[in-house]
Amino acid sequence: MKTAPVISFINMKGGVGKTTLCVGIGEFLSNYLNKKVLVIDIDPQFNATQSLLNKYEKVDEYLNSWQREKKTIRRIFETPASILDSAKPVSEVDVITELSDDLHIILGDINIIFDNSQEAVRILKLKKFISENNIPDKYDYILIDSPPTISLFTDAALIASDYYLVPVKIDHYSVLGATSLIRVVNNLKYNHSSDIAHLGFIYTNTDEQLTAKTERIKEQFESTSPFNQLYFFESKLTRVRDLTVGVQGNIPSSYQKSRSDIEKICEEFMAKIEELSGVEDEW
């Protein structure tokens, strides 16, 4: 039986289009390719949550109900308040919100920043929730929007994931962020016996035609160890001003050019997972 792969979208640098790519792929897979997708927003900035709630006009429900009731990622990371209390299992209904038939989300919550004690326990909470509730049996893809910093929540996302996907801009700062990320992942694999695999780098916020300088940075990046042994997507998310300031938000399918980009990315995304997993997907 095919189970959903769990993929973390991550880079150690902010501003690389991580959330735009995560929600863009999730929304396109569900609304255009009829895939059942769960987005997990573990980033305290909760931009994925804001983007999707805005699209589905559910911001009021979040503010008036779901956040107050902790129907968010926070519930998963709860620990007993005292040694006399028992840990409580978290079920799907406690934390999963249905945005549409095929697109569900575990909502982010800025208050998660206060949940940083008992790290050794909390770091395994997301993986435990996914496993105990057989979440991969109920979806085609599970996408995690991770923080752009080293933290308990970054580690929890990676430990829970089968793959990690790295959005990257073609500039020196993003390359440095990618270098840091590889070290973080390698340390985590060693310390937690993780089998997480690299899915690929995807260039974001790029120009249609690269300048000579940008092309040199790109070539140097791809030819330098360890990146020369890793996969780079042929597809890319080009710079589209509407994704930043458009009235329809930062959902790529909302705009003609970025919709074309995200479609190509999704096709390559599914093909790469199929290649790595050895399980054929029915497109």
Side-chain angles (χ1 to χ4, degrees):
M1 178 181 175
K2 180 180 180 293
T3 60
V6 182
I7 304 106
S8 278
F9 288 67
I10 188 167
N11 195 321
M12 291 292 99
K13 180 183 182 301
V16 297
K18 171 182 62 68
T19 297
T20 297
L21 188 66
C22 180
V23 299
I25 288 177
E27 189 270 342
F28 194 91
L29 287 173
S30 61
N31 288 342
Y32 293 86
L33 298 178
N34 300 313
K35 301 299 181 183
K36 192 161 187 178
V37 177
L38 174 65
V39 174
I40 301 176
D41 189 356
I42 200 173
D43 187 345
Q45 297 181 59
F46 72 110
N47 289 329
T49 293
Q50 296 176 69
S51 297
L52 290 171
L53 289 179
N54 183 61
K55 176 178 175 59
Y56 288 92
E57 300 181 346
K58 294 183 180 293
V59 174
D60 288 343
E61 287 96 321
Y62 178 81
L63 295 174
N64 297 328
S65 176
W66 298 330
Q67 188 182 39
R68 293 181 181 181
E69 297 168 1
K70 286 191 182 177
K71 190 176 181 178
T72 69
I73 190 69
R74 247 195 127 179
R75 179 72 66 89
I76 291 175
F77 285 96
E78 282 185 331
T79 56
S82 78
I83 59 174
L84 300 178
D85 296 330
S86 300
K88 298 177 182 177
V90 181
S91 69
E92 297 167 70
V93 70
D94 291 328
V95 292
I96 293 179
T97 297
E98 297 185 10
L99 299 174
S100 67
D101 288 343
D102 287 334
L103 183 58
H104 298 174
I105 184 172
I106 296 180
L107 298 160
D109 190 334
I110 192 172
N111 295 302
I112 200 174
I113 62 173
F114 299 110
D115 303 329
N116 54 16
S117 62
Q118 301 183 54
E119 182 169 332
V121 174
R122 284 191 160 120
I123 201 170
L124 300 174
K125 285 277 192 178
L126 181 58
K127 182 176 183 178
K128 187 177 181 68
F129 166 79
I130 290 172
S131 174
E132 289 185 346
N133 289 280
N134 300 311
I135 301 298
D137 295 338
K138 300 163 186 176
Y139 293 92
D140 295 306
Y141 297 94
I142 299 169
L143 314 180
I144 305 178
D145 189 30
S146 306
T149 56
I150 298 173
S151 71
L152 154 67
F153 307 111
T154 305
D155 287 352
L158 292 171
I159 288 170
S161 296
D162 301 303
Y163 306 102
Y164 68 101
L165 182 63
V166 188
V168 61
K169 290 171 63 177
I170 308 175
D171 62 37
H172 290 297
Y173 298 109
S174 293
V175 173
L176 287 172
T179 303
S180 300
L181 174 60
I182 296 299
R183 294 196 188 102
V184 168
V185 171
N186 286 339
N187 289 337
L188 182 134
K189 289 171 76 170
Y190 177 80
N191 292 329
H192 295 277
S193 302
S194 170
D195 293 325
I196 190 171
H198 179 260
L199 186 60
F201 292 98
I202 296 184
Y203 290 121
T204 58
N205 203 24
T206 63
D207 295 318
E208 276 292 342
Q209 190 66 42
L210 300 182
T211 65
K213 179 181 178 182
T214 305
E215 191 66 55
R216 284 196 301 272
I217 295 172
K218 178 177 179 290
E219 290 174 0
Q220 183 179 13
F221 181 28
E222 295 178 5
S223 62
T224 301
S225 179
F227 306 113
N228 57 355
Q229 301 174 38
L230 300 174
Y231 182 73
F232 287 80
F233 276 62
E234 293 291 331
S235 311
K236 60 185 180 181
L237 192 60
T238 51
R239 192 191 315 275
V240 175
R241 186 172 182 271
D242 282 342
L243 279 176
T244 305
V245 299
V247 295
Q248 296 178 77
N250 68 333
I251 306 293
S253 70
S254 300
Y255 310 99
Q256 184 175 353
K257 178 63 182 74
S258 52
R259 184 188 306 129
S260 174
D261 287 347
I262 208 71
E263 179 177 11
K264 293 173 185 175
I265 288 171
C266 283
E267 290 173 357
E268 191 172 355
F269 174 85
M270 291 189 295
K272 187 61 180 175
I273 290 175
E274 178 185 324
E275 174 192 328
L276 292 175
S277 67
V279 178
E280 184 173 355
D281 192 5
E282 296 181 0
W283 292 14

